[in-house]
Amino acid sequence: MEFRTELVEGLMGRFPNVPAEAVFKEDLLRGGIAFDAAALSGNEEGDVKPKSYFIFSFDHRTLPELGEAALRRPPEEIVLTGGPYGLRRTVVSVRVNPQSPYRVSADESGSLGLCLDGVRIADVGLPPMPEYYRHTLTNGKSVMEVAPTIQWGYLVYLTVFRVCQYFGAKEECQYCDINHNWRQHKAAGRPYTGVKPVEEVLEALEIIDRYDTARVSTAYTLTGGAITSKVGGRDEADFYGQYAQAIEERFPGRWIGKVVAQALPRADVQRFRDYGVQIYHPNYEVWDRRLFELYCPGKERYVGRDEWHRRILDSADVFGARNVIPNFVAGVEMSQPFGFSTVKEAIESTAEGLRFFMSHGITPRFTTWCPEPTTPLGRANPEGAPLEYHIRLLEVYRATLEEFGLSSPPGYGPPGPGRAVFSVSSFMDSLPSQEDSGLVPDA
């Protein structure tokens, strides 16, 4: 189509049960956003919360190709409201693409808006610089470097190991740029701590706790690259678990503790629980067997898809099914040359995975795939997956939840259009609000 507007409005007409907010959000996440200079931050010295690059690049170009956006970082997220579609408050993670048909720019009065095909479609709000970002650790490191917050301040994102031990073409997940993101930040001379000492994490959290007087930060996520041997003499469960143990001892009950790690044996999962973790994310990445083997070669080699799934089910005995929330990367199912060639086939495969886990009371969630250019799948599929795939996924996700009597997973803030804060996919925006469903809210 000549204009993206035609595609978006056509899908909104075909799928009226999917909120307009979710349609635009998915399109922004899969294809990125361009920024005028007026919409960029002043880095850590400005009044706008800058993009922290908390684990992956989540950009459609490398840092050297981003121009001014690499020198003056874009905001961490934007919030959309109003416009001709009457958008309710929608929080969107920023993925920079200078060639995107979506652009954030200022009008004559200086008011920022989101334009699509040159037409303003929403007002844009930028995240204010939080007070805790204005303070440094005793060693001079910034809070943003050690303990950035995302989801409009809801989640403290602790990437405590910034590289992955699945390394090289025969082991790295084919859509993941964690190792390249590390390299590009180091090459640019940016601070980017590879292994964050426990003491630094605790000091950063003390600053957040002191200055976040409104208690906006509600959860923390411990994560990083996979550990196939050891880091600092510790295996994966003990390495990530040591942070949870220290956080829970210093700040008992202050945050909902979550860990994103591999699908580990039950004894290791129990260690996470013993260390104080409340929610476990053993991501299954992509459902189809052939695609898992192709796209996650390290995970297939070290663990294997069937064992990975068995471990996810076993972990429900430790954490309770509701607190096991595996992620998948929505859209890689359609990446070529190996992925499904039609949206119908891709959705049927993804729905099979949703049904498998939800039939056991486990509620997956998903991140909308960003085709980063340094990854094999990103290079081969710069446009990502079709928008229709993402919209139909929202429909099937909600329908499958309802079929098995499940609700939105805990630790993600409120669901519902205008309320959701989860920023890297719109699955929470597309679910009914707790007021509408009559459920008691999860934190």
Side-chain angles (χ1 to χ4, degrees):
M1 290 191 178
E2 184 178 2
F3 295 110
R4 184 72 66 84
T5 304
E6 298 174 34
L7 171 65
V8 173
E9 291 186 343
L11 289 168
M12 288 168 60
R14 288 175 56 197
F15 300 97
N17 294 328
V18 176
E21 293 83 0
V23 175
F24 280 111
K25 183 169 176 175
E26 288 297 315
D27 206 22
L28 291 166
L29 290 172
R30 78 182 184 101
I33 313 170
F35 286 85
D36 281 357
L40 298 174
S41 78
N43 296 322
E44 291 179 74
E45 292 74 42
D47 295 324
V48 174
K49 185 181 185 182
K51 182 170 177 172
S52 61
Y53 291 88
F54 51 90
I55 185 166
F56 312 116
S57 72
F58 281 136
D59 283 336
H60 290 252
R61 297 291 185 273
T62 62
L63 278 180
E65 296 171 324
L66 292 183
E68 191 170 2
L71 302 175
R72 296 173 53 225
R73 299 189 188 204
E76 184 76 80
E77 294 149 331
I78 59 173
V79 64
L80 307 177
T81 53
Y85 302 95
L87 299 182
R88 291 161 287 188
R89 185 178 186 273
T90 306
V91 180
V92 185
S93 180
V94 164
R95 301 174 173 185
V96 184
N97 181 0
Q99 277 69 53
S100 173
Y102 292 94
R103 176 171 291 273
V104 176
S105 58
D107 62 15
E108 299 79 6
S109 68
S111 173
L112 291 178
L114 179 68
C115 295
L116 173 58
D117 296 327
V119 177
R120 185 170 173 131
I121 62 168
D123 297 329
V124 169
L126 303 182
M129 179 71 77
E131 179 61 28
Y132 48 79
Y133 269 22
R134 301 187 186 279
H135 300 268
T136 60
L137 280 61
T138 54
N139 62 10
K141 288 186 180 180
S142 68
V143 171
M144 185 181 79
E145 160 61 12
V146 178
T149 55
I150 60 173
Q151 298 173 24
W152 219 257
Y154 175 88
L155 180 68
V156 186
Y157 207 94
L158 302 171
T159 311
V160 292
F161 181 45
R162 274 179 149 158
V163 293
C164 181
Q165 290 186 348
Y166 291 135
F167 195 81
K170 295 183 178 180
E171 290 192 351
E172 289 179 353
C173 293
Q174 301 296 287
Y175 48 79
C176 176
D177 79 341
I178 185 172
N179 288 329
H180 170 77
N181 195 41
W182 153 263
R183 290 191 294 268
Q184 74 168 355
H185 281 267
K186 300 302 285 186
R190 293 182 172 187
Y192 211 70
T193 307
V195 178
K196 298 178 181 179
V198 173
E199 296 74 20
E200 289 185 6
V201 171
L202 292 177
E203 186 178 357
L205 290 175
E206 286 174 351
I207 294 171
I208 293 174
D209 185 53
R210 184 183 316 138
Y211 293 102
D212 179 22
T213 56
R215 291 297 192 262
V216 174
S217 61
T218 305
Y220 67 81
T221 290
L222 284 164
T223 189
I227 298 173
T228 57
S229 55
K230 292 188 176 181
V231 174
R234 296 175 182 267
D235 63 16
E236 185 160 317
D238 273 342
F239 176 78
Y240 290 112
Q242 68 178 320
Y243 295 89
Q245 183 178 37
I247 293 168
E248 295 305 323
E249 287 177 355
R250 183 74 63 87
F251 308 98
R254 170 63 177 85
W255 291 281
I256 301 168
K258 308 193 286 185
V259 65
V260 180
Q262 298 192 82
L264 297 174
R266 180 169 177 160
D268 289 346
V269 174
Q270 183 63 56
R271 280 190 280 168
F272 280 144
R273 192 74 183 91
D274 294 342
Y275 285 138
V277 173
Q278 297 175 55
I279 295 173
Y280 177 43
H281 299 290
N283 301 339
Y284 71 90
E285 314 296 15
V286 62
W287 174 253
D288 181 77
R289 178 183 298 277
R290 181 178 63 93
L291 295 182
F292 182 88
E293 293 170 355
L294 287 169
Y295 295 168
C296 306
K299 292 173 180 175
E300 175 62 26
R301 172 185 169 191
Y302 281 84
V303 180
R305 175 183 179 274
D306 292 342
E307 177 63 18
W308 197 279
H309 294 171
R310 276 193 292 270
R311 291 178 180 184
I312 292 176
L313 298 185
D314 286 347
S315 66
D317 294 333
V318 177
F319 278 92
R322 181 158 172 75
N323 296 316
V324 176
I325 310 169
N327 186 67
F328 63 98
V329 185
V332 297
E333 299 92 332
M334 297 202 69
S335 60
Q336 298 305 309
F338 303 112
F340 294 103
S341 59
T342 68
V343 171
K344 181 177 183 293
E345 292 173 306
I347 289 294
E348 287 175 351
S349 174
T350 307
E352 182 180 289
L354 292 175
R355 290 181 57 80
F356 174 81
F357 289 111
M358 290 186 187
S359 68
H360 290 89
I362 292 171
T363 306
R365 53 96 169 177
F366 56 89
T367 301
T368 301
W369 176 38
C370 177
E372 288 114 336
T374 60
T375 65
L377 295 185
R379 283 194 298 272
N381 301 268
E383 302 300 320
L387 180 57
E388 181 180 343
Y389 166 85
H390 294 286
I391 305 312
R392 291 179 65 176
L393 175 59
L394 295 174
E395 274 202 330
V396 75
Y397 184 88
R398 177 170 174 170
T400 311
L401 274 181
E402 293 172 352
E403 178 184 354
F404 290 101
L406 301 174
S407 58
S408 60
Y412 286 89
R419 297 177 176 87
V421 295
F422 186 68
S423 57
V424 294
S425 84
S426 57
F427 86 94
M428 290 293 284
D429 303 76
S430 64
L431 297 178
S433 68
Q434 283 142 345
E435 291 84 352
D436 294 337
S437 62
L439 296 173
V440 177
D442 280 312

